[in-house]
């Protein structure tokens, strides 16, 4: 059996064992993820508020489903597609953490010479790339969401802070679900549990997908009525 086969088998074993452990006691794991994801979500919303307060509203109006035209399921589908791109980045961060923190060190133990050096150095570089990519994602989201909030606020005549608070019922659970893989990555990196990240990817994506169906429908069919009411 080759080195890659051994690493693959060990990775599958680690993932199955992790899922079995979590099935026996799921709440402690979910609690840590949820609390950390909530903290990241609130930090992002705070950054959005700051960006919105500093941004000049765009003169080009934004067409909001349920406010400027009748909402359709296709609008919810676009919300799900938009969120899935960000979720994919965070899920890949988990997978990359699993490879860099668990698989590559195992492979390095069975190699020699230049191949061993490459496998030993690749892990930290991959983790550094994940950190940079995730930071870029968070900064970009704060900038885009803050700019959009500023524009919508000007269009509807609703204060920026009030607008963001009005969107919280769907935005907060949406963001918490979005950042679950990132939270799992942070928990695993802090504890050195890199071998659990592949299992964490499966679980967090499965949870996020279910939450997003509900929040997408809320964003398209419920939140617009609140915005219309606030706009008078």
């Amino acid at each position: 059996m080759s080195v890659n086969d051994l690493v693959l088998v060990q990775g599958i074993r680690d993932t199955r064992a992790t899922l079995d452990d979590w099935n026996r006691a799921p709440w402690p794991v979910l609690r840590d993820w949820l609390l950390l994801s909530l903290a990241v979500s609130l930090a992002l919303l705070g950054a959005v508020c700051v960006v919105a307060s500093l941004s000049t509203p765009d003169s080009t109006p934004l067409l909001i489903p349920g406010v400027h035209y009748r909402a359709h399921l296709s609008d919810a589908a676009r919300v799900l597609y938009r969120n899935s791109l960000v979720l994919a980045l965070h899920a890949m961060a988990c997978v990359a953490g699993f490879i860099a923190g668990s698989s590559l060190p195992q492979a390095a133990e069975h190699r020699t010479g230049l191949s061993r050096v490459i496998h030993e150095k690749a892990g930290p570089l991959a983790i550094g790339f994940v950190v940079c990519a995730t930071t870029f994602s968070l900064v970009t989201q704060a900038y885009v969401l803050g700019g959009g909030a500023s524009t919508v606020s000007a269009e509807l005549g609703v204060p920026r802070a009030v607008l963001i608070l009005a969107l919280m019922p769907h935005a907060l659970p949406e963001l918490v679900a979005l950042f679950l893989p990132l939270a799992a990555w942070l928990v695993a990196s802090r504890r050195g549990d890199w071998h659990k990240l592949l299992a964490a990817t499966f679980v967090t994506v499965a949870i996020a997908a279910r939450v997003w169906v509900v929040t997408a429908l809320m964003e398209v069919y419920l939140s617009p009525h609140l915005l219309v009411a606030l706009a008078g």
Side-chain angles (χ1 to χ4, degrees):
M1 184 178 292
S2 68
V3 172
N4 291 334
D5 291 336
L6 287 171
V7 172
L8 176 61
V9 170
Q10 184 60 48
I12 293 174
R13 288 175 179 171
D14 288 339
T15 300
R16 287 178 175 174
T18 299
L19 291 174
D20 289 340
D21 289 341
W22 290 348
N23 281 330
R24 286 190 289 269
W27 174 240
V29 178
L30 291 175
R31 178 192 59 208
D32 291 344
W33 293 348
L34 288 171
L35 290 176
L36 188 52
S37 184
L38 177 62
V40 175
S41 300
L42 292 175
L44 176 61
L45 288 172
V48 169
C49 289
V50 172
V51 173
S53 66
L54 298 176
S55 298
T56 302
D58 195 330
S59 58
T60 304
L62 293 176
L63 297 180
I64 305 173
V67 175
H68 297 105
Y69 64 91
R70 184 177 179 181
H72 301 280
L73 285 177
S74 58
D75 297 306
R78 279 194 290 271
V79 173
L80 289 171
Y81 173 72
R82 177 195 66 203
N83 289 337
S84 67
L85 297 179
V86 182
L87 179 65
L89 173 62
H90 295 168
M92 289 307 299
C94 271
V95 175
F98 172 79
I99 295 173
S102 179
S103 297
L104 286 177
Q106 290 178 25
E109 292 176 359
H110 299 279
R111 298 179 183 274
T112 59
L114 180 60
S115 178
R116 184 186 183 98
V117 172
I118 292 175
H119 280 75
E120 289 176 342
K121 299 299 183 183
L125 290 175
I127 292 172
F129 174 79
V130 168
V131 172
C132 292
T134 303
T135 302
F136 174 79
S137 172
L138 292 173
V139 172
T140 301
Q141 289 177 70
Y143 177 78
V144 172
L145 294 175
S150 176
T151 300
V152 173
S153 172
E155 284 184 32
L156 301 181
V158 178
R160 294 173 174 87
V162 174
L163 174 68
I164 293 174
L165 285 175
L167 298 177
M168 288 282 279
H170 83 259
L172 187 58
E174 179 183 83
L175 289 174
V176 170
L178 175 67
F179 293 129
L180 276 180
L182 176 59
W185 191 94
L186 292 172
V187 170
S189 64
R190 185 177 60 195
R191 299 175 179 173
D193 291 337
W194 300 105
H195 62 288
K196 297 182 178 181
L197 277 177
L198 193 57
T201 304
F202 297 142
V203 175
T204 54
V205 170
I207 294 173
R210 289 166 171 79
V211 173
W212 278 359
V213 172
V214 177
T215 57
L217 294 175
M218 290 175 62
E219 180 174 349
V220 171
Y221 290 108
L222 296 181
S223 294
H225 294 291
L226 183 56
L227 294 180
V228 171
L230 289 173

